[in-house]
Amino acid sequence: MNMTSVERSAFDAAYEEGTAPWVIGEPQPAVVELERAGGISGKVLDPGCGAGEHTILLAGLGYDVLGVDFSGPALERARANAAERQVEARFEVADALALDGGPYDTVVDSALFHVFGPEDRAKYVRSLHAVCRPGATVHVLALSDTEPGFGPRLPESVIREAFDVPGWRLEEVQERRYRGIARGERADGLGVADGSLVDVAAWLARATRL
């Protein structure tokens, strides 16, 4: 379990150098499945949107969606991706720990929650509460520690504890897969070739803002 949050400089460098393992050139299959199952509605926030894959997906399907990230290089790439795909998608620089705007009906968090340490997780959950309307749904796709993988992997209990606070009701936590690119030592550890696409264990949690 990560005890401190990942530094912003690490994200900027990953986008600038093209080494971000979560940038796979397509939306996460778990998010595509979530949308097809009717899990997304109303005004949507994509926090930690990165290269914009999910904002672009949802905007292309007609959703009122905003992608936010604190990394300038990430948003440059997101806007370029949207232009390349000829999708009108909105992106803004924002700190996920101090969000404003909304109110939002749905939040789709793909691999943001798990980068925070305990204090920042609590700030993040409070920040989400401030911009979600009562009854809003928050989906969290986070890496799981149930098997070998890469990145900051968490036990299910961390998600449950984070939303076990006034103003939230955690509805469910399901096992899913998260697709990423394994490079270097990560690839060696997973027994795959460098640069391989891999599907690793993840959680998909759903919480309701009360």
Side-chain angles (χ1 to χ4, degrees), residues 84-173:
E84 181 180 341
R85 296 172 200 180
Q86 299 182 321
V87 173
E88 290 190 12
R90 295 186 299 125
F91 299 101
E92 292 180 4
V93 174
D95 181 352
L97 305 183
L99 293 166
D100 57 20
Y104 295 98
D105 301 284
T106 308
V107 174
V108 180
D109 171 340
S110 175
L112 176 61
F113 177 90
H114 65 216
V115 308
F116 295 128
E119 289 187 11
D120 282 350
R121 276 197 295 270
K123 289 180 183 177
Y124 177 50
V125 170
R126 290 195 297 270
S127 179
L128 288 176
H129 192 273
V131 296
C132 285
R133 69 166 180 80
T137 299
V138 172
H139 301 284
V140 174
L141 180 64
L143 293 173
S144 165
D145 69 346
T146 56
E147 62 182 56
F150 54 81
R153 294 171 292 131
L154 303 175
E156 180 182 354
S157 60
V158 166
I159 299 174
R160 293 194 174 278
E161 289 165 7
F163 287 95
D164 186 19
V165 292
W168 291 100
R169 181 175 65 242
L170 185 64
E171 307 291 357
E172 62 180 353
V173 182

Side-chain angles (χ1 to χ4, degrees), residues 174-189:
Q174 299 180 326
E175 293 183 350
R176 286 292 186 272
R177 309 299 290 179
Y178 182 88
R179 184 164 293 171
I181 301 174
R183 296 187 176 92
E185 292 181 359
R186 294 188 179 98
D188 293 341

Side-chain angles (χ1 to χ4, degrees), residues 55-100:
T55 300
I56 294 167
L57 167 72
L58 296 175
L61 291 172
Y63 289 90
D64 177 8
V65 54
L66 174 66
V68 300
D69 205 292
F70 70 175
S71 171
L75 293 180
E76 288 177 14
R77 183 158 183 173
R79 293 186 177 109
N81 286 341
E84 181 180 341
R85 296 172 200 180
Q86 299 182 321
V87 173
E88 290 190 12
R90 295 186 299 125
F91 299 101
E92 292 180 4
V93 174
D95 181 352
L97 305 183
L99 293 166
D100 57 20

